[in-house]
Amino acid sequence: KQWYQRRVAITAGDAVECNTVLPGTYEQLVCLDGTWPQARRLYQKNPILHSLPKVMLNSVRKSVYLIHTQPTLQHLSTLESVARAIEEMEKLNGLEEKLVAPLKEMVRTQFKYGACAHSTQEEAKAMRKLEIKNGKKNLTVAPKLENFDYNSF
């Protein structure tokens, strides 16, 4: 009985979008924490996870975890993903903002002590291609976001 009430958050062909899940139709959300390759391997090596219903997010906003370089604009931290998933599945507007507030405050504190906002790996790759094209020898590894307003974050 419990197995149908759990859901695993993963990008998979048979996953349904979180916002289509009816509130109260699940008891647990299983979220694999790690990098994308680590989470993928963890999922592949645990066949019991394959039998769980799957959900996915279609994120349209940038992560607030700007001191970490995300793969693309659509990638979120685990905390942001879980907060968004629960908000969407339970139809609890504003929950994500409350749950992510401590992360955002931590990032603000890091900015105060000199951390910089990073672009995504996708943006960095495009920037390195342009640098190679223009003959630059020392390529940018994790470029800072240009014109980022640290005071308004």
Side-chain angles (χ1 to χ4, degrees):
K1 180 181 177 184
Q2 284 186 328
W3 285 108
Y4 80 91
Q5 295 174 335
R6 292 181 182 161
R7 292 194 178 262
V8 64
I10 196 160
T11 302
D14 59 340
V16 298
E17 291 186 29
C18 288
N19 60 7
T20 64
V21 174
L22 296 174
T25 58
Y26 70 99
E27 288 182 4
Q28 296 176 342
L29 175 65
V30 177
C31 188
L32 308 177
D33 187 22
T35 64
W36 281 92
Q38 289 169 339
R40 190 176 300 113
R41 279 192 307 275
L42 186 59
Y43 178 77
Q44 291 169 344
K45 290 182 178 187
N46 290 281
I48 199 155
L49 295 174
H50 302 183
S51 64
L52 299 176
K54 296 161 198 67
V55 293
M56 66 179 176
L57 290 171
N58 278 324
S59 179
V60 292
R61 70 160 184 79
K62 190 168 183 161
S63 173
V64 300
Y65 192 35
L66 295 171
I67 57 174
H68 175 77
T69 304
Q70 299 292 358
T72 70
L73 285 173
Q74 292 76 32
H75 285 76
L76 301 173
S77 68
T78 303
L79 173 64
E80 292 169 298
S81 298
V82 170
R84 168 75 60 85
I86 293 171
E87 178 180 277
E88 287 187 6
M89 290 190 294
E90 289 300 315
K91 316 300 186 243
L92 297 169
N93 291 333
L95 179 68
E96 178 187 9
E97 186 178 327
K98 290 176 185 173
L99 294 177
V100 172
L103 173 65
K104 196 168 183 179
E105 189 56 37
M106 182 205 68
V107 171
R108 272 193 198 105
T109 301
Q110 294 290 322
F111 288 159
K112 287 179 192 173
Y113 290 95
C116 59
H118 291 208
S119 61
T120 66
Q121 289 173 6
E122 191 175 62
E123 292 166 326
K125 186 176 179 181
M127 186 178 289
R128 284 190 295 273
K129 277 185 178 181
L130 184 62
E131 289 173 343
I132 290 169
K133 184 179 176 182
N134 293 333
K136 187 173 177 185
K137 301 273 188 223
N138 298 321
L139 302 180
T140 304
V141 177
K144 298 177 190 176
L145 286 175
E146 296 298 323
N147 304 319
F148 182 77
D149 185 1
Y150 291 93
N151 295 323
S152 68
F153 178 77

